[in-house]
């Protein structure tokens, strides 16, 4: 493939060098004296030619189907004349035209050529630079504020999730040289195994929020949340806010960076490092990568260009082994015992699987078991029952093809507590007090039989199991 660069301007030499750094596949053709000299100075193959009237064939150039011609000229009438002359030659190769003006009129005249306006090239470049400059300013402002007090307490709102944990840890790294004390607190609790695995694997020190933490007089920060989320509010205003949720009233604060079009707060923190040229340690990058992945559901939800750029950059810096350790740590070991109960208690009839596990400590057990059973081939309905001290919990999973799990859950169990859900996932939480009216003794066998008789009203296959 040969690349011909036609027209005038210093840009021709830049294009030639960009596309053919070794200068072997490229030839510049120009009638402009300064352009010719510039190419010579840069040791670029260049020929003098007036392409507004000279044909390529007359210059001894065979413009073949695999070749490309790039045309750029600051002089609009001359650019138009070159295009007319080239079009009349019915060239075989592809022609790309950079035009100083709007492409529309030219594109209509020469639909066989590909056009790009200078403005769109600069727009893309400048937007990127503008974004970077913005981020650098943000980081500088943040550091200036933090240096005043040199103590920061980052509070995660609610139950810590990967995006919040990763962002809080990345902020710690960013501020490391400028603070004497940095702590991460959370107001909720760790409810998911993989989030616990994340803080253990990546060695993120976190602690349950306690107002006494304010005693040392730290600046208060929050990531992946906004002050309005904290109800009741924290005892002092939140000074630093970095988030991607829809903007709410931030109240008195010193610094905020809320980018509502971003898929994760991890993306913002990633830019803080990349745009300021800071080193991003592997464990911090791994956290940010996981935070971004979880919040965007592997780049399938709420994704912006910035998220994709961050994903690409983080991927190279991520420790795959650490990431796997976190992603595979979804269940506590004790779950194995429940799986063994669930499997031995299971009743399968046609495409329906039912299992009653009896009393459990954490009703999430039923969810894990149901999620596992629905993956079995040939099974399109799963119903799993578990019991706590006050409630009987029934978890539904279906392939979603025929019947609506949420509606069935609701119609069967609405009167006993709460019930409902989606087409493929549903849940009912029955108050044992109300079940007792029909099952006087809450023994496992009696509850199981009662559940089956209820379910068989809607799921005929289960009728045969009673
Ligand atoms: Mn988030």
């Amino acid at each position: 493939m040969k690349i011909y660069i036609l027209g005038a301007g210093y840009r021709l030499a830049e294009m030639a060098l960009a596309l053919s750094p070794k200068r072997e596949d490229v030839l510049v053709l120009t009638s402009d004296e300064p352009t010719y000299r510039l190419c010579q100075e840069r040791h670029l193959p260049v020929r003098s030619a007036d392409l507004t009237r000279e044909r390529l064939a007359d210059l001894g150039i065979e413009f073949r189907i695999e070749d490309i011609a790039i045309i750029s000229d600051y002089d609009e009438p001359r650019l138009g004349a070159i295009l007319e002359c080239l079009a009349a030659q019915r060239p075989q190769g592809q022609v790309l035209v950079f035009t100083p003006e709007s492409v529309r009129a030219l594109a209509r005249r020469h639909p066989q050529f590909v056009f790009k306006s200078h403005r769109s090239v600069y727009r893309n470049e400048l937007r990127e630079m503008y974004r970077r400059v913005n981020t650098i300013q943000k980081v500088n402002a943040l550091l200036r504020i933090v240096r005043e007090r040199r103590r920061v307490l980052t509070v995660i709102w609610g139950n810590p999730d990967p995006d919040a944990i990763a962002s809080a840890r990345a902020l710690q790294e960013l501020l490391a040289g400028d603070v004497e004390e940095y702590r991460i607190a959370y107001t909720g609790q760790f409810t998911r195994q993989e989030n616990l695995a994340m803080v253990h694997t990546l060695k993120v020190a976190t602690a349950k929020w306690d107002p006494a933490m304010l005693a040392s007089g730290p600046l208060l920060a929050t990531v992946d949340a906004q002050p309005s989320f904290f109800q009741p509010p924290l005892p002092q205003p939140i000074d630093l806010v970095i988030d991607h949720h829809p903007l709410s009233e931030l109240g008195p604060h010193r610094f905020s960076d809320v980018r509502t079009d971003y898929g994760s707060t991890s993306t913002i923190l990633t830019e803080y490092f990349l745009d300021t040229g800071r080193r991003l340690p592997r464990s911090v990058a791994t956290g940010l990568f996981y935070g971004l992945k979880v919040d965007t559901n592997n780049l399938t939800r709420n994704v912006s260009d910035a998220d994709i750029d961050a994903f690409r950059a983080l991927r190279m810096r991520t420790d795959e082994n650490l990431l796997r350790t976190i992603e595979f740590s979804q269940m506590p070991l004790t779950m194995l015992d429940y799986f063994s109960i669930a499997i031995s208690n299971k009743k399968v009839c046609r495409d329906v699987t039912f299992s009653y596990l009896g009393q459990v400590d954490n009703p999430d057990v039923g969810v894990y078991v149901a999620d596992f059973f629905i993956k079995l081939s040939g099974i399109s309905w799963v119903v799993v029952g578990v019991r706590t001290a006050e409630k009987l919990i029934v978890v539904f999973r279906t392939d979603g093809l025929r019947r609506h799990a949420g509606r069935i859950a609701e119609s069967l169990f609405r009167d006993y507590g709460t019930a409902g859900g989606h087409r493929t996932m549903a849940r009912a939480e029955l108050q044992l007090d109300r079940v007792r009216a029909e099952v006087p003794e809450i023994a496992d066998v009696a509850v199981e039989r009662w559940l089956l008789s209820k379910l068989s009203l809607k799921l005929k296959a289960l009728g045969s199991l009673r």
Side-chain angles (χ1 to χ4, degrees):
M1 184 182 77
K2 192 96 179 159
I3 303 162
Y4 299 98
I5 300 186
L6 287 56
Y10 69 89
R11 217 180 269 117
L12 264 56
E14 304 296 344
M15 288 181 193
L17 286 168
L19 293 172
S20 182
K22 289 183 180 160
R23 304 166 168 82
E24 46 194 21
D25 310 314
V26 66
L27 175 63
V28 178
L29 298 164
T30 183
S31 61
D32 183 62
E33 187 52 36
T35 305
Y36 186 89
R37 270 205 310 275
L38 180 69
C39 289
Q40 275 202 319
E41 281 165 21
R42 303 239 188 147
H43 308 290
L44 279 161
V46 58
R47 282 177 64 180
S48 183
D50 181 0
L51 296 158
T52 61
R53 48 185 187 78
E54 284 180 280
R55 296 166 53 88
L56 291 173
D58 297 339
L59 295 165
I61 292 169
E62 190 196 348
F63 189 42
R64 293 162 308 174
I65 196 154
E66 69 267 27
D67 297 337
I68 297 178
I70 298 173
I71 307 172
S72 171
D73 202 318
Y74 53 83
D75 184 300
E76 236 186 301
R78 188 166 57 198
L79 179 72
I82 293 175
L83 293 181
E84 291 298 336
C85 179
L86 196 60
Q89 300 171 45
R90 301 189 171 277
Q92 286 201 51
Q94 288 304 307
V95 178
L96 169 60
V97 186
F98 286 100
T99 151
E101 283 303 306
S102 149
V103 302
R104 212 171 288 158
L106 283 172
R108 250 201 309 270
R109 219 173 141 65
H110 303 289
Q112 72 275 38
F113 301 161
V114 176
F115 290 89
K116 198 153 183 68
S117 75
H118 292 171
R119 200 179 304 161
S120 75
V121 174
Y122 282 121
R123 190 171 48 220
N124 292 341
E125 278 298 305
L126 289 176
R127 267 197 197 144
E128 175 60 20
M129 281 176 65
Y130 179 77
R131 197 194 52 66
R132 277 194 61 183
V133 166
N134 229 346
T135 302
I136 293 168
Q137 279 177 343
K138 285 285 184 195
V139 172
N140 288 340
L142 185 61
L143 292 176
R144 211 162 33 235
I145 296 166
V146 165
R147 280 176 198 136
E148 291 169 15
R149 207 143 357 140
R150 305 184 69 82
R151 291 170 193 284
V152 174
L153 171 63
T154 297
V155 186
I156 293 171
W157 173 74
N159 302 336
D161 75 1
D163 191 29
I165 297 166
S167 300
R169 172 67 186 93
L171 185 62
Q172 174 176 30
E173 186 67 29
L174 189 80
L175 304 180
D178 297 279
V179 295
E180 290 153 15
E181 179 190 292
Y182 181 95
R183 291 208 277 175
I184 303 172
Y186 51 92
T187 62
Q189 52 188 332
F190 279 90
T191 50
R192 304 186 65 119
Q193 286 299 314
E194 54 268 43
N195 298 348
L196 263 180
M198 180 180 181
V199 294
H200 289 147
T201 310
L202 301 180
K203 300 188 171 60
V204 184
T206 61
K208 178 80 179 167
W209 154 256
D210 178 348
M213 290 172 165
L214 295 174
S216 63
L219 282 163
L220 209 48
T222 193
V223 289
D224 203 36
Q226 292 171 33
S228 65
F229 294 15
F230 293 85
Q231 293 305 336
L234 296 180
Q236 74 180 51
I238 298 179
D239 305 288
L240 319 170
V241 182
I242 305 171
D243 187 31
H244 69 125
H245 290 95
L247 187 62
S248 64
E249 177 55 51
L250 297 179
H253 63 278
R254 308 262 330 260
F255 172 90
S256 73
D257 192 357
V258 180
R259 308 194 192 179
T260 55
D261 50 336
Y262 278 29
S264 74
T265 304
S266 294
T267 305
I268 305 175
L269 267 301
T270 302
E271 287 186 359
Y272 284 1
F273 281 84
L274 299 182
D275 292 343
T276 58
R278 279 159 190 268
R279 208 181 75 81
L280 191 50
R282 238 171 166 57
S283 69
V284 177
T286 304
L288 291 169
F289 187 64
Y290 184 56
L292 171 58
K293 258 166 68 94
V294 170
D295 256 33
T296 59
N297 193 18
N298 290 315
L299 291 189
T300 60
R301 188 177 60 198
N302 303 331
V303 188
S304 71
D305 290 351
D307 298 311
I308 293 170
D309 290 345
F311 189 91
R312 199 179 290 132
L314 290 170
R315 218 193 128 69
M316 295 185 301
R317 295 168 167 82
T318 290
D319 186 320
E320 294 287 340
N321 293 322
L322 290 183
L323 187 67
R324 229 186 334 265
T325 304
I326 299 167
E327 288 189 324
F328 284 175
S329 302
Q330 294 184 11
M331 285 177 218
L333 204 55
T334 51
M335 196 64 74
L336 272 187
D337 298 333
Y338 290 115
F339 269 87
S340 120
I341 297 169
I343 290 168
S344 58
N345 285 7
K346 75 173 186 310
K347 295 178 165 50
V348 182
C349 197
R350 296 211 289 270
D351 61 338
V352 183
T353 298
F354 169 84
S355 187
Y356 179 68
L357 278 67
Q359 185 144 6
V360 297
D361 298 328
N362 179 350
D364 282 351
V365 168
V367 174
Y368 287 117
V369 168
D371 281 338
F372 173 68
F373 280 160
I374 195 63
K375 287 181 189 154
L376 301 171
S377 68
I379 295 302
S380 53
W381 266 87
V382 175
V383 185
V384 175
V386 298
R387 174 166 78 82
T388 62
E390 304 90 35
K391 286 178 183 172
L392 175 60
I393 291 127
V394 189
V395 178
F396 295 78
R397 292 289 184 271
T398 83
D399 60 6
L401 290 181
R402 279 165 306 214
R403 307 177 66 195
H404 195 290
R407 286 199 202 116
I408 290 185
E410 202 187 333
S411 69
L412 287 174
F413 298 121
R414 182 179 40 203
D415 297 339
Y416 300 88
T418 58
H422 308 285
R423 201 171 177 82
T424 55
M425 306 164 83
R427 183 182 178 109
E429 301 202 355
L430 294 66
Q431 299 297 329
L432 279 183
D433 291 343
R434 291 188 217 172
V435 176
R436 246 182 220 111
E438 294 169 36
V439 190
E441 200 198 336
I442 302 290
D444 285 342
V445 178
V447 172
E448 180 180 36
R449 196 173 300 148
W450 180 80
L451 265 181
L452 275 171
S453 76
K454 287 299 253 183
L455 289 164
S456 64
L457 295 174
K458 294 282 176 186
L459 294 169
K460 293 282 181 304
L462 290 178
S464 58
L465 297 175
R466 288 157 61 196

